[in-house]
Every structure is written in C-alpha cells, then in structure tokens.
C-alpha cells in the first residue's frame, strides 16, 4: 500500500463532500482525509496500484487544484 500527501484548495466540508463522490467510488483508494486546519489543506491518501499522477488527475476531475506535497 502506498501513502501520499498533496497540497490542495479543498478548504471546507462542502468541498470534501464533492471530492468524496470521486474518491469513494475508486476501489483502489483504501483511506483518505483532508486536513483543512492547515494552510495547505493537505490531502492524505492510502491506496493500492495508484501513483501520484493518477490521484492528481482524479482530484482535478472533481474540480480542485492539487499538487504533490514536497515533503512527502
């Protein structure tokens, strides 16, 4: 299982609910969370057989900005 951290513009519960539709329907994603208490609104994802580019594409399809966190 891989774990990734991304910087996003997901900054409220409504945005999280929007993203949920895209992420919860992907069987390769085992767990995820967004920390909206940080300035970078960090998205933490644990998944199988998905790389960072796959996750970035998925989140962008949901309408959000995302980039891999430099310290991850």
């Amino acid at each position: 299982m891989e774990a990734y951290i991304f910087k996003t513009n997901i900054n409220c519960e409504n945005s999280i609910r929007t993203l949920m539709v895209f992420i919860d329907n992907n069987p390769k994603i085992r767990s995820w969370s967004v920390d909206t208490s940080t300035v970078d609104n960090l998205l933490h994802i644990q998944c199988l057989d998905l790389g960072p580019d796959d996750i970035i594409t998925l989140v962008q399809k949901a309408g959000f900005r995302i980039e891999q966190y430099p310290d991850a």
Side-chain angles (χ1 to χ4, degrees), residues 2-53:
E2 297 293 328
Y4 301 105
I5 301 174
F6 299 90
K7 179 179 174 180
T8 73
N9 67 332
I10 301 164
N11 60 4
C12 66
E13 287 300 316
N14 285 336
S15 295
I16 292 171
R17 282 192 290 277
T18 299
L19 182 62
M20 187 182 302
V21 173
F22 288 81
I23 288 186
D24 285 352
N25 289 325
N26 189 317
K28 294 182 179 183
I29 296 175
R30 298 297 185 226
S31 67
W32 66 281
S33 65
V34 179
D35 185 355
T36 58
S37 69
T38 65
V39 68
D40 291 329
N41 298 306
L42 297 178
L43 169 63
H44 299 261
I45 291 189
Q46 291 187 333
C47 58
L48 297 171
D49 300 323
L50 288 177
D53 291 338

